[in-house]
Amino acid sequence: MTAVLQQPSGDTQKPSEPEAERATWLARAATLPLPTNAIVDGAELSAGGGSLPVIGPRDGNELTRVFAGDDAAVDHAVRAARVAFDSGPWPRMSPRERAAVLLRLADLAEQHRDELALLITLEMGKPITHSRDIEMRAVVNCLRWYAEVADKGHGEVRDTDPQALALVTREPVGVVGIVTPWNFPLTLTMWKLAPALIAGCTTVVKPAEQSPLSILRLAQLAIEAGLPPGVLNVVPGTGPVAGQALGLHAGVDALAFTGSTATGRAFARYGADSNLKRVWLELGGKSPNIILPDAPDLQRAVDTAVWAFTFNSGQMCTCGSRLIVHRDLADEVVENVVRGARAVPVGDPLDPAVEMGPIATAAQLASVRGYIDRAVAAGARLLTGGSHAPDRAGLPAGGNWLEPTILTDVAPDSELARTEVFGPVLAMTVVDSTDEAVEIANDCEYGLAAAVWTSDLSTAHTVSRRLRAGTVWVNCYEEGDMGVPFGGFGLSGNGRDKSAHALDKYTELKTTWMQL
């Protein structure tokens, strides 16, 4: 089945180069085969018992319908993963043999980069340039990074009684359930899948029902790369059905989830109510971005602040949704941030020149607009945005469009200042001191990320230490690589993705004591 695309009508003049590029992506999308079947035990399962619609956020049209997993489908997948772990070759391969498979998958993902990027853009609205050059680059890099660290781990030989030998080794935890959101459908899946696979685990992935297409295609490529049957199983389905079934299944040894705090609480309960499986949670955020009077490059800080709340249409857990500005700079920063937000190219995500596409779902758009309306009603001042559709000709009708939105006079204890909106909405707060900035930044139940802009080395060190966040950026935002861990404090969850630290989630420590 192929994507159903609504192409805006236009004149018959010769298109410009950007228009020609957009036309090329539209043509590819119109003929792109869309995966619809679950992948279980190395084979495709068709939607015999039911299907889920996948709605394109750029025009509101149904792209296709995919397999809708139920309890039986999840049980089938978990049993396949269990057989593959207990008696299959994957956990018994050497680390370098597993690495070779991941490297082949990385090569295939790179070869199919445009196809996978197009699937991401169609299913959740990310601009095609970002899908191809940011998300797909991250996916390939993640696979290669974990392949390279495959044989770099080590056990321990502990000093003990001369008449004994004590060994401490790491072993794969077993069957891992992976439940991922729609905002980065491949990157966030890969941050969990790659370390679990390289550790020797087998997996069952339940993607977000809004964006299952890209991971289903990647699973097909994984089979081509030589991943044995049952090692990677992908079962689309809704959270209350397939997600709950996976969380409660006693055959799952550990579960890794990225998504909302409310759903994370549900998975924690599933783990407690079943086999006490370890449940690793990467949850929401309300990240503060602090600009102090001695910011080294104020224009760069302003430009970054705009990018930090509009990238991916603000749909990321590290969205720089709270801008905390010292009063000495407030007027200048407000003026320039508003100007920058109004200049963000919003439009059709299949246009390579677009920097911000639609909100991923109509329900999410309604939620974001609700936060804006309630904030204004509570006394916040709307500086720009808030409109459903940007004033731009040629946008597909029916899309989930929203302008970048900035509000000021936002009380630190208000809903907008304390709740994750998950959209391109910036709450600005003015402070009179560094201490006040840190106090407001920390006055939040989330603790995923934060940033501070300062030229003073002492301030950079002391403020970054005082900020309660898993990642703190100094004079930058959203920077990093695969070598550093990612995760948060408080309601932002537990455990860490990325880096060698992620392997801790997918391994067990075993002590072997030998009396000599």
Side-chain angles (χ1 to χ4, degrees), residues 21-325:
E21 290 181 14
R22 178 178 177 233
T24 297
W25 283 110
L26 281 165
R28 290 180 181 177
T31 59
L32 181 69
L34 302 182
T36 60
N37 296 331
I39 303 291
V40 176
D41 205 16
E44 296 193 25
L45 297 182
S46 61
S51 62
L52 288 171
V54 180
I55 306 299
R58 66 181 291 278
D59 57 14
N61 288 335
E62 183 177 299
L63 297 171
T64 188
R65 300 185 73 88
V66 300
F67 183 98
D70 56 12
D71 288 9
V74 170
D75 182 64
H76 182 192
V78 172
R79 289 178 183 275
R82 174 57 59 195
V83 170
F85 184 78
D86 288 346
S87 57
W90 188 251
R92 291 152 192 85
M93 290 181 177
S94 71
R96 291 312 305 169
E97 288 175 318
R98 290 196 291 268
V101 177
L102 261 65
L103 289 173
R104 287 196 294 271
L105 179 54
D107 290 344
L108 285 169
E110 193 158 51
Q111 292 169 23
H112 292 264
R113 188 174 189 169
D114 285 359
E115 176 191 0
L116 291 165
L118 188 51
L119 289 171
I120 292 168
T121 293
L122 290 175
E123 66 189 355
M124 62 74 56
K126 193 188 305 290
I128 188 63
T129 303
H130 296 174
S131 295
R132 187 185 188 281
D133 297 341
I134 298 177
E135 177 137 12
M136 283 309 304
R137 180 184 63 189
V139 169
V140 172
N141 287 347
C142 180
L143 282 164
R144 289 179 175 157
W145 196 90
Y146 280 106
E148 289 302 319
V149 302
D151 60 354
K152 307 303 187 294
H154 56 83
E156 304 171 27
V157 179
R158 304 303 304 169
D159 291 334
T160 185
D161 190 308
Q163 300 304 311
L165 177 64
L167 306 176
V168 181
T169 54
R170 284 195 177 272
E171 298 185 358
V173 70
V175 175
V176 176
I178 298 174
V179 182
T180 52
W182 42 258
N183 57 328
F184 290 89
L186 283 188
T187 301
L188 297 182
T189 301
M190 200 52 61
W191 283 3
K192 302 176 190 318
L193 181 61
L197 291 178
I198 211 65
C201 299
T202 58
T203 60
V204 179
V205 176
K206 205 295 285 184
E209 54 262 40
Q210 299 87 351
S211 58
L213 304 179
S214 53
I215 185 59
L216 287 172
R217 180 64 181 121
L218 192 73
Q220 293 173 345
L221 296 176
I223 296 171
E224 186 178 338
L227 203 65
V231 176
L232 170 58
N233 306 276
V234 181
V235 181
T238 66
V241 178
Q244 179 174 306
L246 189 60
L248 289 171
H249 204 294
V252 175
D253 298 300
L255 189 137
F257 169 78
T258 295
S260 72
T261 299
T263 306
R265 291 181 188 274
F267 275 103
R269 287 192 294 270
Y270 298 155
D273 291 343
S274 54
N275 56 339
L276 284 178
K277 63 176 66 66
R278 287 183 288 174
V279 177
W280 301 105
L281 304 171
E282 195 272 281
L283 307 176
K286 193 67 182 177
S287 301
N289 187 9
I290 302 170
I291 302 180
L292 298 178
D294 64 339
D297 183 339
L298 187 57
Q299 189 57 52
R300 180 166 172 247
V302 166
D303 292 343
T304 303
V306 172
W307 178 91
F309 90 93
T310 59
F311 176 67
N312 211 41
S313 301
Q315 299 166 127
M316 57 179 185
C317 48
T318 54
C319 173
S321 56
R322 289 192 291 160
L323 187 59
I324 301 173
V325 185

Side-chain angles (χ1 to χ4, degrees), residues 417-471:
R418 302 178 66 84
T419 307
E420 184 177 47
V421 174
F422 225 63
V425 179
L426 181 65
M428 295 190 65
T429 302
V430 176
V431 297
D432 292 304
S433 67
T434 300
D435 285 343
E436 185 184 5
V438 172
E439 181 181 355
I440 289 175
N442 285 338
D443 186 22
C444 180
E445 293 181 301
Y446 295 107
L448 191 58
V452 59
W453 296 79
T454 178
S455 295
D456 185 86
L457 183 61
S458 177
T459 300
H461 276 289
T462 56
V463 170
S464 61
R465 287 182 178 179
R466 291 171 64 190
L467 289 169
R468 291 284 298 168
T471 298

